[in-house]
Amino acid sequence: VLTRDVAYDTLPRRDRSAAHASIARWLEDTLGERAREFLELLSYHWFEAYRACTSTDPQEIEALRLQAFDRTLRAAQETGRRYALKKSERLAGQAIDLASTPPERSLAYEASAEAFFSDYDGDESWRGFTAAAEAELAATPSDPIRVSGLSGRAVEIATRWPGSVRIAPPESEVRRFLELGIDHLPSGDSRERVQLLGTKASWPFAFPTLRLLAR
């Protein structure tokens, strides 16, 4: 490890980006369908390629950023599915830092929220789902079904899993996301509608002294 680190430090910074990108491309070409098993490694090399980039070409920089964001987001989702939750949380945070558009931020915050939810950290999960919903709302165009679904997931934290939260969000804020989700529901039956109606049914569990107005 020491030899590797010393050798790496001798590489000029301008060469590091190309070296990381070359390794990442070789891995993806070699692994083919098995690349999913090595998403953490691919995320590392694409992230380092982007971070070390010294190019002044905006298109080259953006191409590296997109690769780094995509592999890091997918690595966060994959480690979350395997319940390697601390890794998933870290990678999702890195994806948030790499995101530059509202849809990217929405996906990255959602991955973070899912990881923290599985880790029974309701505070961070609430922050992630609400940020994901607001980022999706800011997209042009936004996806109303995603806005409804993410809002519903946020409200569930407060109404169905209050034991996972150390500092409960104010009822007015929870109500705001409930109404946001309902306002963006498509007509007809959907999973998102069932989810939001379920959170309304759970309202007395989270806020026993407050009454939810019928809508």
Side-chain angles (χ1 to χ4, degrees):
V1 173
L2 180 61
T3 302
R4 180 200 63 192
D5 290 347
V6 171
Y8 184 79
D9 287 341
T10 63
L11 277 176
R13 183 173 176 81
R14 65 178 180 275
D15 295 336
R16 294 181 187 181
S17 177
H20 281 292
S22 178
I23 292 169
R25 293 189 187 97
W26 178 83
L27 283 169
E28 291 182 332
D29 290 343
T30 302
L31 293 168
E33 294 182 357
R34 293 191 60 201
R36 179 177 172 180
E37 301 172 31
F38 297 88
L39 281 169
E40 288 179 71
L41 183 59
L42 291 168
S43 166
Y44 166 75
H45 283 296
W46 282 118
F47 177 77
E48 291 298 327
Y50 171 65
R51 189 173 69 162
C53 183
T54 58
S55 173
T56 57
D57 182 354
Q59 290 186 334
E60 181 180 350
I61 297 170
E62 177 63 3
L64 288 173
R65 188 197 67 79
L66 285 170
Q67 294 280 27
F69 172 78
D70 177 75
R71 304 310 186 276
T72 302
L73 175 65
R74 289 167 57 193
Q77 295 167 335
E78 182 63 23
T79 50
R81 280 190 286 267
R82 298 202 314 264
Y83 277 80
L85 299 177
K86 297 305 180 186
K87 284 185 179 180
S88 184
E89 292 162 10
R90 177 181 60 79
L91 288 162
Q94 190 169 295
I96 291 169
D97 292 339
L98 287 164
S100 72
T101 66
E104 288 178 353
R105 284 192 287 274
S106 180
L107 290 169
Y109 275 117
E110 181 184 17
S112 176
E114 292 289 3
F116 280 110
F117 177 78
S118 296
D119 208 10
Y120 208 66
D121 187 336
D123 300 78
E124 290 299 326
S125 188
W126 162 263
R127 280 191 279 270
F129 281 125
T130 54
E134 289 178 330
E136 184 60 41
L137 191 62
T140 306
S142 62
D143 182 343
I145 295 177
R146 269 188 62 77
V147 173
S148 292
L150 292 166
S151 297
R153 293 286 279 134
V155 176
E156 277 185 331
I157 301 298
T159 59
R160 301 185 67 182
W161 302 97
S164 70
V165 179
R166 292 181 292 276
I167 301 175
E171 188 268 352
S172 59
E173 189 71 0
V174 181
R175 186 188 297 266
R176 181 170 78 86
F177 279 96
L178 174 64
E179 293 175 351
L180 178 66
I182 291 173
D183 288 344
H184 285 78
L185 276 174
S187 59
D189 294 333
S190 65
R191 181 181 64 181
E192 290 75 20
R193 184 177 296 277
V194 171
Q195 181 184 50
L196 287 162
L197 291 175
T199 63
K200 289 180 68 174
S202 301
W203 209 263
F205 177 56
F207 307 107
T209 63
L210 296 169
R211 184 170 63 89
L212 180 64
L213 298 176
R215 289 196 62 189

